[in-house]
Each structure stands twice: as structure tokens, then as C-alpha cells.
Amino acid sequence: MLLLVAASAGVLVRPRCPSPAACVEPVPDVGYDMRRLILVRHGAVSRELSDPPVRPGALYGGNYDVPLSLAGEAEAEAAARFIASQALGDEVRFICSSPMSRALYGAKAVQSALRSRVIGGLKLETNELLREIDRGAWANRTVAEVEADPRYGPGAYDRCALEDDYGREVAGGEGMADLRDRVLAARDYVLRGTRPGSASVMVSHMWVTRVLLADALGAPDVLQIDVPTASVSVVDYPDGSWPSSAAHTPAEARLVGHKPAG
């Protein structure tokens, strides 16, 4: 499996890029026997514009449909232009997005940027399985507030990320195993509809993308995977690397640092 990551801070090992131009590397064409997924995280958000508003610094996950800020919209449009500027855009035949407005804005930006590449335009479909993680009782509370609560205590945020059932059993939301199961099911659905030698785009959220990249990299600690707003990650899947229930091909990662400028 070939993995290329375009992000402002490299996933796992790459330092932050001094400028976008200094970090762009051409993305090679997808192999004839590969299915490519282009993973896009939504842009920066405005918590205060959510209905109801989300408090500064608070967790919101899939519990609040927080809209993009003006800067976030510019980031999403820049990510779409980045995809269109690469050979990536010539290979895309399908776009799948979280139904949350902050992700759907970016999906529509990609669809618009690539519309002329496909006769009849690109199909865009939303999928509930790509919604951000359910934070349960932690929604609209800061990490400091959560960890000061005696029901959870210090380290609760990390435990939610690293323990499969903690988020469900303790916080009343989703555990990482729950999130992983549904996200990989969505990935497999998109891959089934992606012909070898072509690509699909998935636009979603930080934790959804972390799960996808952790699976591709074989990384057990999702907290070590940095997924900045409007970052673009590219994963090529050969037969044998999916579906998740039958995968046996190990991942080989090559990392590229880049964050489209708004």
C-alpha cells in the first residue's frame, strides 16, 4: 500500500513546512491495479456560529453541526484547487462526504473544481458513517473541564482515544472501536465503487481521517497522527489491503508535507 500525505505538519514524522511551495511534491499517477482514496479534512470552524453555540475550546465532535469560518471556507477551496492542480484530479470519479456542513462545503468545492474533468460532472454522495465522533456527555465541555470532573479524571481525553470502549462506556458517546468499525465500513463501501486505476475523494473530520490513516499506517496510537484543517491525504489500496475484515497486505508509507494556502 502506498500512502502519501499532504498536510501542514507531516503525519507521524514530518516537521511543519516553512511554506506551502517548499513542501509540494508531485503526486504520482495511481497504479493500474490500485484504488486511490483522497482524504480531505474540513477547514477551520466558527464555534460561536453553531446553533446552539459551542463554547471556546470545547469539544463538539459529531454532536454539533459547527459551520466553517471564512478562513475555513478559504482553506477548503484551496484544498480543492490543490487536488485539481495535481494529476489527482484526472483520476477522481466519485466524492463521498460526511453530511455535516463543515465537511460538505469542502466536498462541494472539490466537486466544483473537478466538474469539467468528467462528462456529466462528478457524483457527490453523503454518508452518515463519516460523521465525526460522538462525544456524548463531553460535548460542549473543554478537555480541562472533562478531566477535572471526578467521573473521568486526568488523562480521560487520551484514554478515550487509546481505549476501544472508554468513550462509550464512560463518556456515553462512541468508543474508538465504534468509530473505527463504521469508518472502515464507509471506506470499504467507497473502495468497492472505485475502479482500479481511478480515485475517489472522502471529505470528513479529524478523528475520521485519523482512523483511516492509522489503519493504513498500522499505527496503534491515533494521537500521533496530525491531521490539520483542510489537509489532503492520499492512500493507494492494492487488492489484499481491504476490506478491513480480510486485509493482509502491510502498509508502506511515503510522506509529503503540504498545506494549501487559503
Side-chain angles (χ1 to χ4, degrees), residues 1 37 39 96 127-131 164 174 176-192 202 204 207-219 222 235 237 241-247:
M1 183 191 300
L37 294 185
L39 312 176
C96 191
N127 192 322
E128 282 286 340
L129 297 178
L130 295 178
R131 180 181 288 269
D164 279 352
E174 280 186 292
M176 286 305 297
D178 303 319
L179 178 66
R180 185 166 55 247
D181 287 349
R182 67 170 168 88
V183 167
L184 294 182
R187 181 206 64 182
D188 292 346
Y189 165 77
V190 174
L191 284 173
R192 279 193 294 273
M202 296 175 69
S204 61
W207 286 97
V208 172
T209 307
R210 275 179 158 172
V211 165
L212 290 166
L213 293 178
D215 179 80
L217 289 163
V222 293
V235 188
Y237 292 89
S241 64
W242 70 283
S244 56
S245 60

Side-chain angles (χ1 to χ4, degrees), residues 16 85 99 101 108 154 166:
R16 186 171 297 275
S85 73
S101 63
K108 290 179 178 178
Y166 187 89

Side-chain angles (χ1 to χ4, degrees), residues 11 48 62 109 118 121 125 132 166 175 187-188 206 208 216 226 228 249 262:
V11 172
E48 68 279 7
V118 179
E125 180 179 299
E132 184 59 298
Y166 187 89
R187 181 206 64 182
D188 292 346
M206 180 175 72
V208 172
D226 184 19
T249 301

Side-chain angles (χ1 to χ4, degrees), residues 80-124:
R81 289 195 300 271
F82 171 74
I83 293 171
S85 73
Q86 301 282 311
L88 290 172
D90 297 328
E91 300 156 351
V92 175
R93 295 294 178 269
F94 178 58
I95 304 169
C96 191
S97 174
S98 161
M100 307 197 82
S101 63
R102 57 189 184 269
L104 192 54
Y105 184 97
K108 290 179 178 178
V110 173
Q111 183 186 40
S112 178
L114 301 181
R115 191 183 305 277
S116 64
R117 309 288 182 92
V118 179
I119 296 175
L122 282 169
K123 179 182 178 182
L124 193 167

Side-chain angles (χ1 to χ4, degrees), residues 4-8 19-28 36 38-41 74-90 92 106 109-110 113-114 117 201 230-234 256-262:
L4 303 102
V5 177
S8 61
S19 68
C23 300
V24 176
E25 296 181 23
V27 179
R36 173 169 286 178
I38 302 169
L39 312 176
V40 185
R41 183 189 170 190
E75 284 185 324
E77 291 160 6
R81 289 195 300 271
F82 171 74
I83 293 171
S85 73
Q86 301 282 311
L88 290 172
D90 297 328
V92 175
V110 173
L114 301 181
R117 309 288 182 92
V201 177
S231 58
V232 180
S233 309
V234 180
V256 180
H258 172 57
K259 170 85 156 48

